[in-house]
Amino acid sequence: MDIKVFIETYKKRLTREKNSIIIDMNLLRDSNPKLATNLIINPDELLGIIKEEIKYFFGEGYIVQFLNVNRYIEINEIRAKNENELFIVKGIIKRVTKVLQRVSILKFECPSCGSVIPVNQFYRKILNPKHCSCGRKGGFKKISEIKEDIQEINLEEDQDNLNGRQPKQIRVYLEDYLTEPNFSNKLQPGKKIEIVGIIRNLPPFMNKTDEETNISEFMIEAKSINSLEDEEELIITSEDIKKIEEISKNNPLQQLSGSLVPEVYGNKKVKE
């Protein structure tokens, strides 16, 4: 059973959440263990096929997430043999960058024959085409670009599991829907999360020198992120609304600043 047959057979059982299609790996393991294993150890090839089949069966705009991957690895255990494979990594967010835009593909036009030449951009510096199929070298005109939103977090091992050693960190690369405000705003330093992602070597555009080297640190290309903390829902009752309205009608700044750290006397301006 290939990916197409799996999705067609089980499409009524695939979970849809907003713009996500969630593939339950337990379901895939039961129906085709070999395919499930290949998806874990060779995700790049199969993810492309999955996205095309999702588009065919469900339409545009859906992204793929996974449930029950059940393949964990500690940050300090990541090695070269794990590169380009799918894992779950747990940790605590130490740092979150702002969202940036990155040009992933530039398209150029050849003045001689009119051919369009797409060039994948792996560096911060623009990478131009070296030649055209017609034989022309250089002088190509940039005509369009494909951009993506990107963000980065630093993930640190949970100190509860260290047994006295220093915690290790790893950089995590986010793109597309993982950078959207309704999701990205929840990524706060100190929060415990687990990441389903592919272990990679750090790409040149994330390297300070913007070049390929023989020595590189690991990173995680995130595919989905789940909180390991209970998400508290803020519920405002009618009684709360009544109190808020009462405060708003009678010098609210004075009332609120007066209730701030009441055991500390003075510092009126500071409290305001």
Side-chain angles (χ1 to χ4, degrees), residues 243-260 272:
K243 289 180 180 179
I244 292 169
E245 289 176 341
E246 289 175 354
I247 292 173
S248 69
K249 294 174 182 177
N250 185 21
N251 200 340
L253 180 59
Q254 183 177 349
Q255 290 189 67
L256 294 173
S257 62
S259 66
L260 182 65
E272 287 181 353

Side-chain angles (χ1 to χ4, degrees), residues 74-107:
E74 299 293 335
I75 293 175
N76 73 308
E77 295 176 350
I78 295 174
R79 298 294 183 269
K81 65 181 180 180
N82 307 126
E83 187 181 354
N84 299 323
E85 295 187 6
L86 195 69
F87 286 91
I88 298 178
V89 182
K90 295 182 179 181
I92 299 173
I93 298 174
K94 296 299 291 183
R95 184 177 71 93
V96 183
T97 69
K98 63 182 179 181
V99 176
L100 303 173
Q101 66 173 6
R102 172 180 172 260
V103 177
S104 57
I105 299 176
L106 279 175
K107 293 184 179 181

Side-chain angles (χ1 to χ4, degrees), residues 3 32 54 105 111 147 149 158 162 173 204 226 252:
I3 286 288
N32 192 324
I54 291 291
I105 299 176
K147 295 181 179 180
D149 294 318
D158 189 340
L162 297 181
Y173 176 76
N226 301 309

Side-chain angles (χ1 to χ4, degrees), residues 6-230:
F6 168 78
I7 293 176
E8 186 171 17
T9 304
Y10 293 95
K11 62 182 178 180
K12 292 183 180 179
R13 296 170 62 184
L14 290 176
T15 304
R16 298 196 213 185
E17 288 187 5
K18 296 181 180 179
N19 64 332
S20 301
I21 297 293
I22 300 177
I23 294 182
D24 189 333
M25 291 299 294
N26 285 341
L27 185 63
L28 187 55
R29 290 186 188 100
D30 291 341
S31 61
N32 192 324
K34 183 178 180 181
L35 183 60
T37 300
N38 287 337
L39 184 55
I40 292 291
I41 65 176
N42 187 23
D44 287 325
E45 179 181 349
L46 291 179
L47 273 175
I49 299 173
I50 289 174
K51 289 178 182 178
E52 288 301 314
E53 297 306 324
I54 291 291
K55 185 189 301 183
Y56 175 80
F57 286 107
F58 300 102
E60 297 277 358
Y62 282 95
I63 52 96
V64 179
Q65 297 190 68
F66 297 97
L67 184 66
N68 295 319
V69 173
N70 297 334
R71 195 190 191 207
Y72 292 87
I73 190 169
E74 299 293 335
I75 293 175
N76 73 308
E77 295 176 350
I78 295 174
R79 298 294 183 269
K81 65 181 180 180
N82 307 126
E83 187 181 354
N84 299 323
E85 295 187 6
L86 195 69
F87 286 91
I88 298 178
V89 182
K90 295 182 179 181
I92 299 173
I93 298 174
K94 296 299 291 183
R95 184 177 71 93
V96 183
T97 69
K98 63 182 179 181
V99 176
L100 303 173
Q101 66 173 6
R102 172 180 172 260
V103 177
S104 57
I105 299 176
L106 279 175
K107 293 184 179 181
F108 298 84
E109 184 179 68
C110 175
S112 298
C113 68
S115 296
V116 176
I117 309 169
V119 181
N120 290 319
Q121 300 297 307
F122 303 107
Y123 306 92
R124 298 184 188 184
K125 185 179 179 180
I126 291 177
L127 190 62
N128 293 285
K130 295 181 179 179
H131 57 80
C132 177
S133 58
C134 71
R136 183 185 178 94
K137 296 181 179 180
F140 302 106
K141 179 184 178 182
K142 184 172 69 174
I143 56 173
S144 65
E145 56 189 13
I146 297 176
K147 295 181 179 180
E148 58 188 10
D149 294 318
I150 64 171
Q151 193 173 19
E152 184 183 332
I153 64 176
N154 278 28
L155 192 70
E156 184 175 272
E157 293 177 292
D158 189 340
Q159 297 194 15
D160 294 339
N161 305 320
L162 297 181
N163 297 320
R165 61 179 176 81
Q166 290 294 315
K168 300 294 191 298
Q169 292 188 13
I170 192 167
R171 295 167 70 177
V172 182
Y173 176 76
L174 316 178
E175 61 183 13
D176 297 331
Y177 78 99
L178 291 177
T179 69
E180 293 179 0
N182 61 344
F183 182 87
S184 179
N185 291 344
K186 298 179 182 179
L187 300 176
Q188 301 296 330
K191 193 168 188 177
K192 293 183 179 181
I193 61 172
E194 68 174 22
I195 295 172
V196 178
I198 302 173
I199 294 173
R200 306 283 197 195
N201 274 332
L202 202 68
F205 68 83
M206 291 178 67
N207 205 323
K208 289 182 179 179
T209 58
D210 195 28
E211 61 185 15
E212 294 176 317
T213 65
N214 288 327
I215 299 177
S216 177
E217 63 179 291
F218 294 110
M219 72 160 213
I220 301 172
E221 182 183 302
K223 296 302 177 185
S224 61
I225 300 178
N226 301 309
S227 173
L228 296 178
E229 300 178 357
D230 293 332

